[in-house]
Amino acid sequence: MADTTILVVDDEPQIRRVLRTTLSGNGYDVILAKDGQEAIEMVMREHPDLILLDVNMPGMSGLEACSKIRLSFTGPIIMVTVRNSEQDKILAFDSGADDYLVEPFTMGELLARIRAALRRSSSEEPLPKFESPQLSVDLERRIVDVRGQRVDLSPKEFDVLRLLITQQGKPPTHKKLLQTIWGPDHGEETENLRVVINQLRKKIEKDPTRPRYILTEPWLGYRFQLPIVVPEKQPRRKQ
């Protein structure tokens, strides 16, 4: 725990001070950011292990900050807010949050959620890299290069791509993709999945109308396929 760094992002100085005192008193290293932009910079510079992120901030909202942080950060993000509606929670999880804590809460509950998030994070094995001549995907760092050029994917686009790659050629069903990426209550919204797949193909395929990587399995789902490289024929030697 002594080497665990938590980034606290909140626009209220008093809340930042209280959280820093509590977390430091429980053995965590704490760094602070007062808004979303500063949080993004701190993530790139300090590489925290976990982020506590306030939803309701002026300027860049916590949801927008979460989406941008997720492009490069793979650790747990716990969003903190006074909003408790189902739609607010859906927006938070869709933005890349791992947990959602509604105020008011006790410090005991906060610490328990932090411990649980860190346990889940530490138990996950490092994800491999996918490399091909035209496409490179670093699943751990969430970096995608297409024909040597960096491509930005939304959190949902990357999560779908990662799941397809880790299935190693097996086609997950529409329902599995939706419930894994969008949540257990989302198994029928195939149009949402179709939109994400179309966007992915536009970004990583040379010809999205004739995909080589993300293939459609009719009535089932989608499959990621490494393009087959046909070796060049060698000229015959004269006898």
Side-chain angles (χ1 to χ4, degrees), residues 85-118:
S85 73
E86 179 183 5
Q87 184 60 30
D88 288 322
K89 294 177 182 179
I90 290 171
L91 289 172
F93 289 125
D94 283 350
S95 297
D98 296 279
D99 200 356
Y100 189 90
L101 188 57
V102 179
E103 300 179 68
F105 53 82
T106 66
M107 287 301 166
E109 180 183 5
L110 173 62
L111 291 169
R113 287 177 182 259
I114 289 173
R115 290 193 297 270
L118 290 171

Side-chain angles (χ1 to χ4, degrees), residues 5-182:
T5 300
I6 296 177
L7 170 60
V8 175
V9 188
D10 199 295
D11 62 304
E12 293 287 343
Q14 183 177 354
I15 293 177
R16 293 199 301 270
R17 286 195 297 269
V18 169
L19 289 175
R20 179 174 59 185
T21 300
T22 299
L23 296 173
S24 298
N26 282 271
Y28 296 106
D29 294 328
V30 182
I31 53 178
L32 305 174
K34 64 181 180 298
D35 55 40
Q37 184 57 48
E38 187 177 13
I40 294 170
E41 295 169 1
M42 293 285 281
V43 168
M44 300 299 292
R45 186 170 65 247
E46 302 293 339
H47 307 291
D49 300 290
L50 180 144
I51 299 173
L52 287 178
L53 179 60
D54 181 32
V55 174
N56 306 306
M57 295 187 295
M60 184 188 298
S61 71
L63 295 174
E64 183 182 356
C66 186
S67 295
K68 292 184 176 181
I69 288 170
R70 260 299 170 235
L71 296 174
S72 60
F73 180 73
T74 60
I77 299 176
I78 301 176
M79 302 205 78
V80 181
T81 180
V82 296
R83 299 177 180 177
N84 194 27
S85 73
E86 179 183 5
Q87 184 60 30
D88 288 322
K89 294 177 182 179
I90 290 171
L91 289 172
F93 289 125
D94 283 350
S95 297
D98 296 279
D99 200 356
Y100 189 90
L101 188 57
V102 179
E103 300 179 68
F105 53 82
T106 66
M107 287 301 166
E109 180 183 5
L110 173 62
L111 291 169
R113 287 177 182 259
I114 289 173
R115 290 193 297 270
L118 290 171
R119 280 197 303 271
R120 290 193 297 269
S121 178
S122 63
S123 65
E124 295 176 356
E125 295 183 0
L127 294 170
K129 291 183 180 180
F130 170 81
E131 299 279 358
S132 78
Q134 301 295 319
L135 177 65
S136 171
V137 183
D138 188 330
L139 298 177
E140 190 70 26
R141 299 169 60 201
R142 302 175 74 91
I143 293 175
V144 178
D145 291 319
V146 178
R147 293 178 287 279
Q149 299 295 318
R150 183 65 45 85
V151 173
D152 291 330
L153 302 184
S154 73
K156 280 288 179 289
E157 290 166 356
F158 189 89
D159 289 342
V160 169
L161 179 61
R162 177 172 60 182
L163 179 57
L164 291 174
I165 290 176
T166 55
Q167 290 297 299
Q168 299 180 340
K170 299 177 183 178
T173 63
H174 295 121
K175 186 173 183 178
K176 179 177 180 179
L177 279 162
L178 284 163
Q179 291 183 332
T180 301
I181 306 301
W182 276 263

Side-chain angles (χ1 to χ4, degrees), residues 200-219:
L200 264 176
R201 284 172 170 164
K202 289 178 182 178
K203 291 181 178 182
I204 72 171
E205 301 280 4
K206 188 173 183 179
D207 182 357
T209 64
R210 302 177 64 185
R212 302 176 64 197
Y213 294 106
I214 301 177
L215 306 184
T216 300
E217 293 289 342
W219 309 108

